[in-house]
Amino acid sequence: MFVKWNRLLLLLMVISIGCVSCKQKEEQKSLLLYCAAGMKPVVEKVTKQYYQEYGIRIDVQYGGSGTLLSNLRVARHGDLYLAADKSYINEAISFGLVKETQSLAFIQPVIAVAKGNPKKVHNIEDLCQDTIKVAIANPDAASIGRLTKKMLTESNHWNALSNNVSVLMPTVNEVANTIKLGTTDAGIIWDVTASQYDDIDIVNVPLFKNYIKNITIGVLNYSTQATEALKFIRYISAKDKGLPVFKKFAYQPIVGDVWSEKPKLLFYSGGVNRLAIDKTIQAFEKREGVEVNRVYNGCGILVSQIKAGQQPDAYLSCDVSFMTQVEDEFNTITDISKTSIVIAVEKGNPKKIQSLNDLTANGLQLGICNHNQSALGALTKRLLESQNIWEAVYKNVRSQTPTADLLVNQIRTGSLDAVVVYEANIAQVKDKLDMIRLSEDQANAIQNFGISTNSENQNIMKRLLKALTDENSKKKYLDNGFEWKYSKTEK
C-alpha cells in the first residue's frame, strides 16, 4: 500500500512539473523585429534591457532597409520593422505592410575615411579621383546606398562617382568595415555608424546636411501581437528608456514620451462628438494597451476647466471658436469634422416651424443650449443675434442645457415643441424627429483636435489622432451626421 502511494505521489509530481513547464513555455513571449543593420549596436542594447525588465524576447533580423522591405513583401510574417530612413516605412505603408509608426532619432550621411585621413579626402570631388578606392552601399539594398545615389544624382556627381566605386556592399556596416580593414580608402556611411569605429574619421560635407534622415519603427499589419509590439515601440521611444541608449551611441533622439507600462490618458471632448468617436477610442485603447479617460461635456465647461488649470492630454472641440480660446495650451491643432445647426421638432412638425423667425411665435416651448456652458449655445446666440431675433426667441426658452443630447431627450418626451441642436445630435433618431435645416452661414460648427503642449504622451496622442482620422473613423463620423474636414495637409 505504501509503495502504491509513493508511485501515485511521484506521478502527480511529474504531471505538476510538466504543467509548470507548459505554462512557462506559454508565458514566454517574443516579438520578431526586422531591423536596419546600422542600428544593431543600439537595438541590441535596448532589446536586452527590455527582456531583463519584462521577460519578452525580441528576435531581430538585421539587413539593409531595402532588402528587409523586399523580404517583408514576400514573408508577410513578423511584428515590427525598423528602417534607417522613414521613406522605407512610407513605402511599407503604401504596400499595406505597416500600420502604426514612431520616429526614434535622426542621422546624417558623411564621408568616412581611415584614421588620420591618409588619402586627404575632403569633398565629393575627391571621391571621384581614380587614385581613391571608394565603397558605397548598394542603392537597392540599404538606405544609405539609396540616399547616396539620390544626393549625388541631384548634385550631378553620381556618374563620376559610380564609375570610380571599387565595391558595392549590402549594408552600411560592411562599407565601414572595408575602410577599417584598409581594402578601400573612403565611403559614404551614417555619422552614427562612423562613431562606432575607432579606426575611422569623418569628413563632413555641407551638402549632406540637407539629407538628414529619420529612423522610424512601425508595427506590421499582419502582426498577431500588435499590442505587445506597440508596447515595445513605446519603450524604445521613451525618453527614460530607449532614447537614452540612442543618445549614448551618438544618435540625435526625438523628444520622447515618459515611459509607463500602461499609460493613462485624459481626453476632453465636446458632447456632440461622443457617438462618432467613442468606439474608435475603445478600439484604440485595446490595440495600444492604454487607458483613455474620456470627459464629454459642454465646451464652455471644458474650456473653463482648462483655463482653471486642468491639463487633458488632448481636447476635441465642438467648434473651433472654443479651441481658439485655449490654443496656447495645444499643438498639432487639426480640423476633423463639420456639423450644421438645425431645428428639431416632433414628427410631423405640428407647430409648422420652417425657419429661425418661427421660433419667436407666442407660446412656443423652446430648448437651447446654455451659451456660457456650451459651444452650441454660444453659436446659437450668435446666430440669432445676427438675425436680430435673440431677445424675441429667448422669451420662449423653457430649457437650457450644457449639452444638446439632453435637449434631444426632452423633445422626445414631448416636454418641448422645438430644440436648436447639431444635425449630428439627431442622426440616430431621425425616424422619431423632424429636422429643419438652416441656410444662414453662421449655422455651422467645425470640430478640431489639439494635443496639450504639457502632455507627457505626445507620441501616443499623435497615434490617437491618426486613429480618429483614418477611413474607419471617417465612416463613423459620416454615419453620425458629420461632414468630413480632415486633410493630411492640416497644420
Side-chain angles (χ1 to χ4, degrees), residues 264-487:
K264 293 184 178 180
L265 312 167
L266 180 59
F267 179 58
Y268 279 10
S269 172
V272 67
N273 304 306
R274 180 200 293 261
L275 291 178
I277 66 172
D278 210 61
K279 288 183 178 177
T280 300
I281 296 178
Q282 288 177 35
F284 177 82
E285 286 181 303
K286 184 177 180 182
R287 181 174 171 88
E288 179 86 29
V290 301
E291 183 178 327
V292 182
N293 295 314
R294 281 91 83 189
V295 178
Y296 297 105
N297 212 331
C299 278
I301 295 172
L302 296 177
V303 166
S304 295
Q305 291 174 342
I306 294 169
K307 287 180 176 177
Q310 294 294 311
Q311 294 184 342
D313 291 286
Y315 166 47
L316 179 58
S317 73
C318 289
D319 182 66
V320 293
S321 59
F322 277 73
M323 180 66 82
T324 301
Q325 297 177 36
V326 290
E327 64 182 1
D328 290 344
E329 305 289 329
F330 295 91
N331 58 41
T332 322
I333 296 173
T334 305
D335 291 350
I336 293 183
S337 60
K338 174 184 173 184
T339 188
S340 301
I341 298 173
V342 299
I343 301 170
V345 298
E346 291 181 55
K347 203 70 182 171
N349 194 5
K351 296 293 183 179
K352 308 301 180 189
I353 296 169
Q354 299 298 329
S355 68
L356 287 173
N357 279 320
D358 292 337
L359 300 181
T360 65
N362 289 332
L364 192 74
Q365 306 284 315
L366 179 64
I368 63 173
C369 281
N370 185 295
H371 61 269
N372 292 317
Q373 298 177 322
S374 157
L376 176 58
L379 294 176
T380 300
K381 184 172 187 283
R382 188 181 69 184
L383 173 62
L384 294 171
E385 287 176 337
S386 72
Q387 306 301 307
N388 297 315
I389 56 174
W390 166 246
E391 297 295 338
V393 170
Y394 193 71
K395 68 179 175 55
N396 287 334
V397 172
R398 298 294 177 267
S399 177
Q400 291 189 76
T401 61
T403 59
D405 54 341
L406 299 173
L407 294 175
V408 174
N409 290 338
Q410 289 177 34
I411 195 169
R412 289 186 62 190
T413 63
S415 60
L416 296 171
D417 298 320
V419 294
V420 180
V421 295
Y422 292 123
E423 182 177 354
N425 294 127
I426 57 173
Q428 301 302 319
V429 291
K430 283 184 176 177
D431 58 329
K432 298 178 176 62
L433 299 172
D434 279 350
M435 176 177 71
I436 294 93
R437 293 188 182 277
L438 302 173
S439 59
E440 290 79 2
D441 292 339
Q442 298 92 336
N444 292 299
I446 293 175
Q447 296 71 52
N448 59 0
F449 176 100
I451 299 173
S452 170
T453 55
N454 295 312
S455 173
E456 294 184 331
N457 300 290
Q458 297 275 332
N459 295 314
I460 300 175
M461 298 316 293
K462 287 176 184 174
R463 286 197 288 279
L464 175 59
L465 172 60
K466 187 172 184 297
L468 288 171
T469 54
D470 70 13
E471 285 300 312
N472 290 331
S473 177
K474 177 181 177 180
K475 184 176 185 307
K476 292 183 178 70
Y477 268 95
L478 298 179
D479 288 346
N480 282 283
F482 290 87
E483 296 177 41
W484 194 241
K485 292 291 290 181
Y486 173 72
S487 166

Side-chain angles (χ1 to χ4, degrees), residues 85-106:
D85 178 347
K86 189 178 180 181
S87 65
Y88 287 93
I89 294 288
N90 291 338
E91 282 186 44
I93 292 172
S94 70
F95 293 140
L97 299 174
V98 163
K99 189 167 185 181
E100 296 89 350
T101 66
Q102 177 60 58
S103 298
L104 296 174
F106 302 96

